[in-house]
Amino acid sequence: MVQYSALFSQGQIGRLQTKNRIIMAPMVRDYADEDGLVTDKYVAHIERIARGGVGMMILEASFVRNDGRGFIHELGLHDDAVIPGFKRLVDAAHGHGAVIGPQIFHAGRQTSSGVTGMKPVAPSAIADPTIGEEPRALSVDEIHEIVDAFAQGARRAKDAGCDFVELHGAHGYLITQFLSRFSNKRDDEYGGSFDNRMRFLTEIFQAVRNTVGADFPITVRLSGDEMVPNGLTLADAMRIAKRVEALGVNAIHVSAGNYASYELGCMVSPMAVDDAPLVSLAEGVKRVVGIPVIAVGKIRDPELAESILQSGRADFIALGRSLLADPDWPTKAEQGRADTINKCIACNQGCITRLFDQMDVWCTVNPATSREREFDKPATQTKMKVFIAGGGPAGMEAAILAAGRGHHVVLCEADDHLGGQLIPAAAAPHRPGWTELMAHLITAIENSDIDVRLNTRATADMAKLEGADIAIVAIGSSALMPRIPGIEHKNVVTARDVLEGKVNAIGKVIVAGGGCAGGQTAEYLASKGFDVTIVEMLDSIAVDAPKADRELLIGRLHKLGVKVLPDTRILSIDEKSIGVERPEGLQTLQADTVVLCMGSVPNDSLTDELRKVVANVAVVGDAVEPRKVTEAMVEGALAGLSFIDAACIKRAA
């Protein structure tokens, strides 16, 4: 008996039947080539997700014209040359019983000439607040040309064998720009009244319908709330939903936000935002339409997905980042193994942050994402003795991959527990995902035959005694101790020691360093009642944090009364104060405790010694260079997989 009966019941969208109610949400990956064509990497990625049991797959926003491209390596539906590649994606999905179709879109003003090579276009010549590049207002003739481009994009999708198309009318892209008074200031037939602002979407739908035929399913994605002044509200979305249902749309997919409201954390919700923040919007739309409604947005657990369906708030559940984290999410849920799902932790490091930096999408908790071909290679017959120094995320991931491919693994950790930098990261408020990741890694290690040795500082002699063929150095980093007079005083502690509970702060606290880690440390201390001041050399704090995380963190710090002193350099530290230089001159600040959070330096002392006794040595994670958990996980995984495979092949030769 299936535990989640609603989630694994058949679904119906127009003529289309799905084997369950789980949909892969559209997420741009930047896996296409520079011409917007499908790559082998993209096919392998889609095949892997389809293999995991999803019922329906909405491919990423795919541009219908070159001036509508939102990302450099985004999929395109702008030319007939894309059709063969889309056929490969269709075959990959159909081979595992999933239906598939693209989300077709035009970015409008939410792109830049740096991406498209041309001036952005929009309903009105008003710059998007986040992009900042003023677009050119479209003429009526140009609007008609774009309408036809949508129709031709849909034709190409159908010619490639796709089962449906989705029109992207959400997230502030061109269709939304016409729908919303936030971006549409036109005074012709495409602006002003509701009917006029609906005209662009209406004409696109009718052109697409005329092109693909009466029974070809068409869905529409809407922002249930743009969350900006003068933007679309839920009442507007409900009105739009009723109108598109009357036109003949087969399902409505309800998201939220646009680029200008991204920092609120609802468009791509970070850890600090509760699960399923957008379901109420889907529920509102469902109240006024009879066609299926798709809910999306940080729905990470099968239990939550099932409850949304059972309560009638939506008809389908769309999973985006969750399928990057674990493509087997559907199969595990259906087989009653939900407790083994590698959950998305909503860190936004590997996915949306990389995407907005115009890089290909990774996943922090699943390094196989974007590397499916490499991770699908069978293990070599040669087996190695693998010695791993360090039990943080990089070391644990390396151990799990190596042991899973049949190698004998010894993992040494100097502390009395595994976790490394995940432990202080998880201690900060609103960071539950790091605890989830740590628990998942430790459980995987406990369920393996990895020889874990706690309270054991790795040495070269130990590796030699073990007869190690491979050594992986994953001993992380240590706090940077800058040359500041007085830094040796007892009132000076590191953020990591504070967050791990190894030392206690007293009195007035200065957090020295206002990066993301410094901000989170300040929040941790302020939430415990301390009077906290952040001192930062730059003109702002947490600039290294994902955007939504940063804005939410700054808001919470303000509510907690944390004082922030940017453009401030620490000159000296005394037992009860610090001397600083600020734009207005030299000052003395009371400081009963000074918490250092001024960066890290790699722990690389072991590497050279290991290379004297072990033939193959890899260095991963912060031991290479202090960065984020994403890089540590990827480098650990690749060391446990590719690095060892290369050594095996070399030995076999």
Side-chain angles (χ1 to χ4, degrees):
M1 180 178 178
V2 176
Q3 182 177 356
Y4 307 108
S5 57
L7 197 58
F8 291 98
S9 63
Q10 288 186 339
Q12 194 81 30
I13 294 178
R15 71 177 187 188
L16 200 61
Q17 192 171 73
T18 64
K19 64 183 179 182
N20 57 44
R21 304 299 181 102
I22 304 170
I23 297 175
M24 182 190 79
M27 290 181 60
V28 176
R29 270 80 162 178
D30 256 7
Y31 296 170
D33 71 10
E34 61 275 8
D35 295 318
L37 302 180
V38 171
T39 59
D40 292 344
K41 175 177 178 174
Y42 209 117
V43 175
H45 175 73
I46 292 301
E47 190 279 332
R48 181 64 189 89
I49 292 178
R51 194 195 319 164
V54 68
M56 179 174 176
M57 308 181 80
I58 307 176
L59 291 167
E60 67 182 55
S62 304
F63 60 93
V64 296
R65 294 200 332 179
N66 277 314
D67 61 358
R69 181 196 297 254
F71 300 92
I72 292 174
H73 290 284
E74 189 172 39
L75 277 182
L77 277 166
H78 57 302
D79 188 276
D80 284 359
V82 308
I83 294 173
F86 269 82
K87 285 181 178 178
R88 296 178 66 198
L89 297 178
V90 168
D91 290 344
H94 287 178
H96 296 283
V99 299
I100 189 170
Q103 184 184 66
I104 56 178
F105 101 125
H106 189 293
R109 70 179 189 171
Q110 284 188 174
T111 188
S112 69
S113 55
V115 172
T116 67
M118 57 195 83
K119 192 176 183 68
V121 297
S124 305
I126 304 170
D128 176 80
T130 59
I131 301 295
E133 185 172 350
E134 183 177 307
R136 179 174 57 78
L138 290 161
S139 69
V140 170
D141 286 345
E142 289 173 326
I143 290 171
H144 295 162
E145 290 171 2
I146 293 178
V147 168
D148 182 64
F150 271 88
Q152 293 307 310
R155 172 189 60 80
R156 294 176 186 117
K158 185 178 181 183
D159 288 349
C162 291
D163 303 291
F164 66 94
V165 295
E166 177 166 281
L167 308 180
H168 198 345
H171 296 172
Y173 295 119
L174 188 59
I175 291 176
T176 324
Q177 288 163 31
F178 274 92
L179 290 171
S180 176
R181 294 184 187 274
F182 176 66
S183 43
N184 186 347
K185 308 298 182 183
R186 299 177 74 98
D187 57 7
D188 62 3
E189 64 266 39
Y190 289 94
S193 69
F194 175 76
D195 284 345
N196 283 354
R197 286 181 284 113
M198 275 290 304
R199 192 178 308 278
F200 184 58
L201 173 55
T202 299
E203 290 181 352
I204 287 173
F205 173 80
Q206 290 171 337
V208 170
R209 173 59 74 213
N210 290 338
T211 301
V212 298
D215 63 346
F216 190 80
I218 304 172
T219 69
V220 172
R221 198 180 214 194
L222 299 174
S223 281
D225 189 340
E226 280 195 286
M227 302 178 181
V228 292
N230 257 350
L232 297 172
T233 65
L234 177 57
D236 295 319
M238 292 163 70
R239 190 178 181 189
I240 295 167
K242 288 195 290 185
R243 181 67 65 88
V244 298
E245 179 183 31
L247 288 172
V249 164
N250 300 106
I252 298 173
H253 188 178
V254 185
S255 186
N258 59 29
Y259 281 13
S261 59
Y262 177 83
E263 64 190 31
L264 298 177
C266 286
M267 189 168 141
V268 185
S269 298
M271 278 186 209
V273 172
D274 290 340
D275 285 358
L278 308 183
V279 171
S280 61
L281 301 176
E283 182 179 13
V285 169
K286 185 165 171 56
R287 286 199 301 266
V288 298
V289 298
I291 55 178
V293 171
I294 304 165
V296 72
K298 204 179 177 187
I299 303 170
R300 304 185 304 138
D301 298 304
E303 293 83 358
L304 177 58
E306 178 74 9
S307 71
I308 293 166
L309 298 178
Q310 290 282 6
S311 61
R313 288 178 284 172
D315 303 287
F316 289 84
I317 301 296
L319 306 177
R321 292 170 294 170
S322 284
L323 292 177
L324 301 182
D326 194 339
D328 292 324
W329 193 105
T331 295
K332 289 178 177 178
E334 187 172 24
Q335 294 177 352
R337 298 187 292 121
D339 60 332
T340 67
I341 289 174
N342 188 14
K343 290 169 64 174
C344 166
I345 61 173
C347 68
N348 287 351
Q349 288 184 6
C351 51
I352 193 68
T353 296
R354 283 183 60 85
L355 179 64
F356 280 156
D357 287 337
Q358 299 294 339
M359 296 189 290
D360 60 330
V361 163
W362 296 0
C363 176
T364 297
V365 304
N366 179 21
T369 292
S370 83
R371 302 171 184 84
E372 285 80 8
R373 291 174 295 169
E374 191 168 354
F375 277 70
D376 274 348
K377 290 179 181 177
T380 64
Q381 296 299 310
T382 304
K383 302 306 174 189
M384 295 284 198
K385 291 183 178 180
V386 182
F387 181 82
I388 299 177
M396 287 191 285
E397 186 70 0
I400 291 164
L401 264 292
R405 294 171 74 80
H407 303 291
H408 174 71
V409 179
V410 173
L411 173 62
C412 297
E413 167 55 46
D415 220 326
D416 63 357
H417 53 263
L418 299 172
Q421 294 277 21
L422 292 176
I423 295 171
H430 307 286
R431 312 299 288 167
W434 301 125
T435 300
E436 294 172 353
L437 173 57
M438 186 163 54
H440 181 82
L441 291 171
I442 291 173
T443 297
I445 285 175
E446 290 173 345
N447 291 335
S448 73
D449 57 0
I450 297 167
D451 181 358
V452 178
R453 301 177 187 178
L454 301 176
N455 297 304
T456 303
R457 188 172 298 278
T459 66
D461 287 343
M462 194 181 304
K464 183 178 181 180
L465 186 63
E466 292 293 330
D469 304 298
I470 305 278
I472 299 172
V473 181
I475 52 179
S477 59
S478 299
L480 174 66
M481 305 296 286
R483 293 181 179 179
I484 299 173
I487 200 167
E488 74 282 356
H489 286 309
K490 291 182 180 180
N491 64 325
V492 180
V493 298
T494 67
R496 180 169 179 175
D497 283 347
V498 168
L499 293 170
E500 290 188 1
K502 293 178 179 179
V503 298
N504 295 315
I506 59 171
K508 287 195 172 183
V509 179
I510 296 289
V511 174
C516 181
Q520 290 168 2
T521 302
E523 182 180 18
Y524 170 83
L525 290 164
S527 68
K528 294 183 176 298
F530 287 97
D531 181 328
V532 181
T533 299
I534 298 174
V535 173
E536 169 56 45
M537 291 174 58
L538 300 179
D539 60 3
S540 189
I541 65 168
V543 296
D544 55 334
K547 185 178 178 183
D549 277 292
R550 178 179 185 270
E551 299 303 324
L552 294 170
L553 172 61
I554 289 173
R556 296 194 303 269
L557 291 173
H558 179 73
K559 288 181 180 179
L560 287 167
V562 173
K563 294 174 283 296
V564 177
L565 299 181
D567 297 311
T568 302
R569 181 188 300 272
I570 299 177
L571 301 178
S572 63
I573 302 174
D574 293 320
E575 293 182 355
K576 290 291 183 180
S577 66
I578 64 171
V580 300
E581 181 182 23
R582 304 204 67 217
E584 55 268 34
L586 302 179
Q587 295 181 11
T588 299
L589 307 175
Q590 183 180 341
D592 299 299
T593 305
V594 178
V595 181
L596 294 179
C597 202
M598 302 178 76
S600 303
V601 292
N603 294 329
D604 56 4
S605 58
L606 182 60
T607 305
D608 288 342
E609 293 301 311
L610 281 171
R611 285 184 171 139
K612 295 175 183 177
V613 298
V614 181
N616 304 282
V617 179
V619 186
V620 298
D622 281 5
V624 177
E625 179 186 358
R627 289 154 296 158
K628 297 188 182 299
V629 178
T630 303
E631 287 83 9
M633 290 285 289
V634 165
E635 290 173 8
L638 292 177
L641 179 79
S642 306
F643 183 76
I644 295 177
D645 279 359
C648 291
I649 293 169
K650 182 179 177 182
R651 173 181 285 185

Short mmCIF file of all heavy atoms in Angstrom, two decimals, residues 381-423:
data_model
loop_
_atom_site.label_atom_id
_atom_site.label_comp_id
_atom_site.label_asym_id
_atom_site.label_seq_id
_atom_site.Cartn_x
_atom_site.Cartn_y
_atom_site.Cartn_z
N GLN A 381 37.46 -2.22 -10.99
CA GLN A 381 37.67 -3.48 -10.28
C GLN A 381 38.80 -3.37 -9.26
O GLN A 381 38.82 -4.08 -8.26
CB GLN A 381 38.00 -4.59 -11.29
CG GLN A 381 36.85 -4.90 -12.25
CD GLN A 381 35.60 -5.36 -11.52
OE1 GLN A 381 35.65 -6.26 -10.69
NE2 GLN A 381 34.47 -4.73 -11.82
N THR A 382 39.74 -2.47 -9.51
CA THR A 382 40.85 -2.28 -8.58
C THR A 382 40.35 -1.58 -7.32
O THR A 382 39.59 -0.62 -7.40
CB THR A 382 41.94 -1.41 -9.22
OG1 THR A 382 42.36 -2.03 -10.44
CG2 THR A 382 43.13 -1.24 -8.30
N LYS A 383 40.75 -2.08 -6.16
CA LYS A 383 40.33 -1.49 -4.89
C LYS A 383 41.53 -0.93 -4.15
O LYS A 383 42.61 -1.53 -4.13
CB LYS A 383 39.59 -2.51 -4.03
CG LYS A 383 38.35 -3.12 -4.70
CD LYS A 383 37.38 -2.03 -5.20
CE LYS A 383 36.23 -2.63 -6.01
NZ LYS A 383 35.41 -1.59 -6.65
N MET A 384 41.32 0.22 -3.55
CA MET A 384 42.40 0.96 -2.91
C MET A 384 42.19 1.08 -1.40
O MET A 384 41.05 1.02 -0.92
CB MET A 384 42.49 2.37 -3.51
CG MET A 384 42.89 2.42 -4.96
SD MET A 384 44.66 2.11 -5.15
CE MET A 384 44.94 2.75 -6.80
N LYS A 385 43.30 1.29 -0.69
CA LYS A 385 43.24 1.68 0.72
C LYS A 385 43.30 3.20 0.78
O LYS A 385 44.27 3.81 0.33
CB LYS A 385 44.40 1.06 1.50
CG LYS A 385 44.30 -0.45 1.64
CD LYS A 385 45.45 -0.99 2.50
CE LYS A 385 45.32 -2.50 2.69
NZ LYS A 385 46.44 -3.05 3.53
N VAL A 386 42.24 3.79 1.32
CA VAL A 386 42.07 5.24 1.30
C VAL A 386 42.17 5.78 2.72
O VAL A 386 41.43 5.35 3.61
CB VAL A 386 40.73 5.64 0.66
CG1 VAL A 386 40.59 7.15 0.61
CG2 VAL A 386 40.59 5.03 -0.73
N PHE A 387 43.05 6.74 2.91
CA PHE A 387 43.27 7.37 4.21
C PHE A 387 42.78 8.81 4.13
O PHE A 387 43.27 9.59 3.30
CB PHE A 387 44.76 7.32 4.57
CG PHE A 387 45.11 7.92 5.89
CD1 PHE A 387 44.96 7.20 7.07
CD2 PHE A 387 45.64 9.21 5.97
CE1 PHE A 387 45.31 7.74 8.29
CE2 PHE A 387 45.99 9.76 7.19
CZ PHE A 387 45.82 9.03 8.36
N ILE A 388 41.81 9.16 4.96
CA ILE A 388 41.21 10.50 4.90
C ILE A 388 41.46 11.22 6.21
O ILE A 388 41.14 10.71 7.29
CB ILE A 388 39.70 10.42 4.60
CG1 ILE A 388 39.47 9.74 3.24
CG2 ILE A 388 39.08 11.82 4.61
CD1 ILE A 388 38.01 9.55 2.88
N ALA A 389 42.01 12.41 6.11
CA ALA A 389 42.28 13.25 7.28
C ALA A 389 41.24 14.35 7.35
O ALA A 389 41.20 15.22 6.49
CB ALA A 389 43.67 13.85 7.18
N GLY A 390 40.36 14.28 8.34
CA GLY A 390 39.35 15.32 8.53
C GLY A 390 37.94 14.82 8.34
O GLY A 390 37.62 14.21 7.32
N GLY A 391 37.09 15.09 9.35
CA GLY A 391 35.72 14.60 9.32
C GLY A 391 34.69 15.69 9.15
O GLY A 391 33.57 15.61 9.68
N GLY A 392 35.04 16.74 8.42
CA GLY A 392 34.06 17.76 8.05
C GLY A 392 33.31 17.33 6.79
O GLY A 392 33.39 16.18 6.36
N PRO A 393 32.58 18.24 6.16
CA PRO A 393 31.78 17.85 4.99
C PRO A 393 32.61 17.28 3.85
O PRO A 393 32.21 16.30 3.22
CB PRO A 393 31.07 19.15 4.59
CG PRO A 393 31.80 20.24 5.29
CD PRO A 393 32.36 19.64 6.53
N ALA A 394 33.78 17.86 3.58
CA ALA A 394 34.61 17.36 2.48
C ALA A 394 35.12 15.96 2.78
O ALA A 394 35.06 15.06 1.92
CB ALA A 394 35.78 18.30 2.22
N GLY A 395 35.63 15.74 3.98
CA GLY A 395 36.15 14.43 4.34
C GLY A 395 35.06 13.37 4.39
O GLY A 395 35.26 12.24 3.93
N MET A 396 33.92 13.72 4.96
CA MET A 396 32.82 12.75 5.03
C MET A 396 32.33 12.38 3.64
O MET A 396 32.09 11.20 3.35
CB MET A 396 31.68 13.31 5.88
CG MET A 396 31.97 13.34 7.37
SD MET A 396 30.50 13.69 8.39
CE MET A 396 30.30 15.44 8.11
N GLU A 397 32.15 13.37 2.78
CA GLU A 397 31.66 13.07 1.43
C GLU A 397 32.66 12.22 0.66
O GLU A 397 32.27 11.29 -0.06
CB GLU A 397 31.36 14.37 0.68
CG GLU A 397 30.71 14.19 -0.69
CD GLU A 397 29.27 13.70 -0.64
OE1 GLU A 397 28.74 13.50 0.47
OE2 GLU A 397 28.68 13.52 -1.72
N ALA A 398 33.95 12.52 0.81
CA ALA A 398 34.97 11.70 0.16
C ALA A 398 34.91 10.26 0.65
O ALA A 398 34.99 9.31 -0.14
CB ALA A 398 36.36 12.29 0.42
N ALA A 399 34.76 10.09 1.95
CA ALA A 399 34.70 8.75 2.53
C ALA A 399 33.48 7.98 2.03
O ALA A 399 33.58 6.79 1.69
CB ALA A 399 34.67 8.86 4.06
N ILE A 400 32.34 8.65 1.97
CA ILE A 400 31.10 7.99 1.54
C ILE A 400 31.22 7.52 0.09
O ILE A 400 30.85 6.39 -0.25
CB ILE A 400 29.90 8.94 1.73
CG1 ILE A 400 29.63 9.17 3.22
CG2 ILE A 400 28.65 8.39 1.04
CD1 ILE A 400 28.74 10.36 3.50
N LEU A 401 31.73 8.39 -0.78
CA LEU A 401 31.88 8.03 -2.19
C LEU A 401 32.88 6.90 -2.36
O LEU A 401 32.64 5.94 -3.11
CB LEU A 401 32.31 9.24 -3.00
CG LEU A 401 31.23 10.07 -3.71
CD1 LEU A 401 30.61 9.28 -4.85
CD2 LEU A 401 30.17 10.54 -2.75
N ALA A 402 34.01 6.98 -1.68
CA ALA A 402 35.04 5.95 -1.83
C ALA A 402 34.56 4.61 -1.30
O ALA A 402 34.73 3.57 -1.97
CB ALA A 402 36.31 6.39 -1.09
N ALA A 403 33.95 4.60 -0.13
CA ALA A 403 33.46 3.34 0.44
C ALA A 403 32.34 2.76 -0.42
O ALA A 403 32.25 1.53 -0.58
CB ALA A 403 32.97 3.57 1.87
N GLY A 404 31.51 3.63 -0.96
CA GLY A 404 30.41 3.16 -1.80
C GLY A 404 30.89 2.50 -3.07
O GLY A 404 30.14 1.73 -3.69
N ARG A 405 32.11 2.75 -3.48
CA ARG A 405 32.66 2.13 -4.67
C ARG A 405 33.62 0.99 -4.32
O ARG A 405 34.40 0.53 -5.15
CB ARG A 405 33.36 3.19 -5.53
CG ARG A 405 32.35 4.21 -6.08
CD ARG A 405 33.00 5.39 -6.74
NE ARG A 405 33.56 5.08 -8.05
CZ ARG A 405 32.86 4.99 -9.19
NH1 ARG A 405 31.54 5.18 -9.16
NH2 ARG A 405 33.45 4.73 -10.34
N GLY A 406 33.54 0.55 -3.06
CA GLY A 406 34.23 -0.67 -2.68
C GLY A 406 35.63 -0.52 -2.13
O GLY A 406 36.31 -1.53 -1.88
N HIS A 407 36.09 0.70 -1.91
CA HIS A 407 37.43 0.90 -1.38
C HIS A 407 37.43 0.80 0.15
O HIS A 407 36.41 1.05 0.81
CB HIS A 407 37.98 2.26 -1.83
CG HIS A 407 37.99 2.44 -3.31
ND1 HIS A 407 38.84 1.74 -4.14
CD2 HIS A 407 37.23 3.23 -4.14
CE1 HIS A 407 38.62 2.09 -5.40
NE2 HIS A 407 37.65 2.99 -5.42
N HIS A 408 38.58 0.44 0.71
CA HIS A 408 38.73 0.38 2.16
C HIS A 408 39.10 1.77 2.66
O HIS A 408 40.12 2.34 2.25
CB HIS A 408 39.82 -0.62 2.56
CG HIS A 408 40.11 -0.63 4.02
ND1 HIS A 408 39.24 -1.13 4.95
CD2 HIS A 408 41.19 -0.17 4.72
CE1 HIS A 408 39.76 -0.99 6.16
NE2 HIS A 408 40.94 -0.41 6.04
N VAL A 409 38.28 2.34 3.55
CA VAL A 409 38.44 3.74 3.95
C VAL A 409 38.68 3.85 5.44
O VAL A 409 37.93 3.29 6.26
CB VAL A 409 37.19 4.57 3.56
CG1 VAL A 409 37.38 6.03 3.99
CG2 VAL A 409 36.93 4.48 2.06
N VAL A 410 39.72 4.59 5.80
CA VAL A 410 39.98 4.99 7.18
C VAL A 410 39.80 6.50 7.25
O VAL A 410 40.44 7.25 6.49
CB VAL A 410 41.40 4.61 7.64
CG1 VAL A 410 41.69 5.19 9.02
CG2 VAL A 410 41.56 3.09 7.64
N LEU A 411 38.92 6.96 8.13
CA LEU A 411 38.65 8.39 8.29
C LEU A 411 39.06 8.82 9.69
O LEU A 411 38.52 8.33 10.69
CB LEU A 411 37.15 8.67 8.07
CG LEU A 411 36.66 10.09 8.38
CD1 LEU A 411 37.34 11.10 7.46
CD2 LEU A 411 35.15 10.17 8.22
N CYS A 412 40.03 9.72 9.77
CA CYS A 412 40.53 10.21 11.06
C CYS A 412 40.04 11.62 11.32
O CYS A 412 40.13 12.49 10.45
CB CYS A 412 42.06 10.20 11.07
SG CYS A 412 42.78 8.56 10.89
N GLU A 413 39.54 11.85 12.52
CA GLU A 413 39.06 13.16 12.93
C GLU A 413 39.65 13.50 14.29
O GLU A 413 39.54 12.72 15.24
CB GLU A 413 37.53 13.19 13.00
CG GLU A 413 36.92 14.37 13.70
CD GLU A 413 37.36 15.71 13.14
OE1 GLU A 413 37.37 15.87 11.90
OE2 GLU A 413 37.72 16.60 13.94
N ALA A 414 40.31 14.66 14.39
CA ALA A 414 40.99 15.05 15.63
C ALA A 414 40.02 15.31 16.77
O ALA A 414 40.36 15.10 17.94
CB ALA A 414 41.85 16.28 15.38
N ASP A 415 38.82 15.74 16.46
CA ASP A 415 37.83 16.02 17.51
C ASP A 415 37.11 14.74 17.91
O ASP A 415 37.34 13.67 17.32
CB ASP A 415 36.83 17.06 16.99
CG ASP A 415 36.45 18.08 18.06
OD1 ASP A 415 36.40 17.70 19.24
OD2 ASP A 415 36.23 19.25 17.70
N ASP A 416 36.20 14.87 18.87
CA ASP A 416 35.48 13.68 19.34
C ASP A 416 34.17 13.48 18.60
O ASP A 416 33.33 12.69 19.03
CB ASP A 416 35.24 13.75 20.86
CG ASP A 416 34.34 14.92 21.26
OD1 ASP A 416 33.97 15.72 20.38
OD2 ASP A 416 34.04 15.03 22.47
N HIS A 417 33.98 14.19 17.50
CA HIS A 417 32.75 14.08 16.71
C HIS A 417 33.03 14.50 15.27
O HIS A 417 33.99 15.22 15.00
CB HIS A 417 31.65 14.97 17.30
CG HIS A 417 32.10 16.39 17.49
ND1 HIS A 417 32.56 16.87 18.69
CD2 HIS A 417 32.21 17.43 16.61
CE1 HIS A 417 32.91 18.14 18.56
NE2 HIS A 417 32.72 18.50 17.30
N LEU A 418 32.18 14.04 14.38
CA LEU A 418 32.24 14.45 12.99
C LEU A 418 31.45 15.74 12.79
O LEU A 418 30.61 16.09 13.61
CB LEU A 418 31.68 13.35 12.09
CG LEU A 418 32.42 11.99 12.12
CD1 LEU A 418 31.63 10.96 11.33
CD2 LEU A 418 33.83 12.13 11.57
N GLY A 419 31.69 16.41 11.69
CA GLY A 419 30.88 17.59 11.37
C GLY A 419 31.69 18.77 10.89
O GLY A 419 31.26 19.52 10.02
N GLY A 420 32.87 18.99 11.50
CA GLY A 420 33.70 20.10 11.06
C GLY A 420 32.97 21.43 11.14
O GLY A 420 32.29 21.73 12.12
N GLN A 421 33.11 22.22 10.09
CA GLN A 421 32.53 23.57 10.09
C GLN A 421 31.00 23.56 10.04
O GLN A 421 30.37 24.60 10.26
CB GLN A 421 33.06 24.35 8.87
CG GLN A 421 34.55 24.63 8.91
CD GLN A 421 34.89 25.87 9.75
OE1 GLN A 421 34.12 26.30 10.59
NE2 GLN A 421 36.07 26.41 9.50
N LEU A 422 30.40 22.40 9.78
CA LEU A 422 28.94 22.34 9.82
C LEU A 422 28.41 22.58 11.23
O LEU A 422 27.28 23.05 11.40
CB LEU A 422 28.44 20.98 9.31
CG LEU A 422 28.65 20.69 7.82
CD1 LEU A 422 28.21 19.28 7.49
CD2 LEU A 422 27.90 21.71 6.96
N ILE A 423 29.20 22.26 12.23
CA ILE A 423 28.74 22.41 13.62
C ILE A 423 28.55 23.88 13.98
O ILE A 423 27.46 24.28 14.43
CB ILE A 423 29.69 21.69 14.58
CG1 ILE A 423 29.65 20.19 14.32
CG2 ILE A 423 29.33 21.99 16.04
CD1 ILE A 423 30.71 19.41 15.06
#
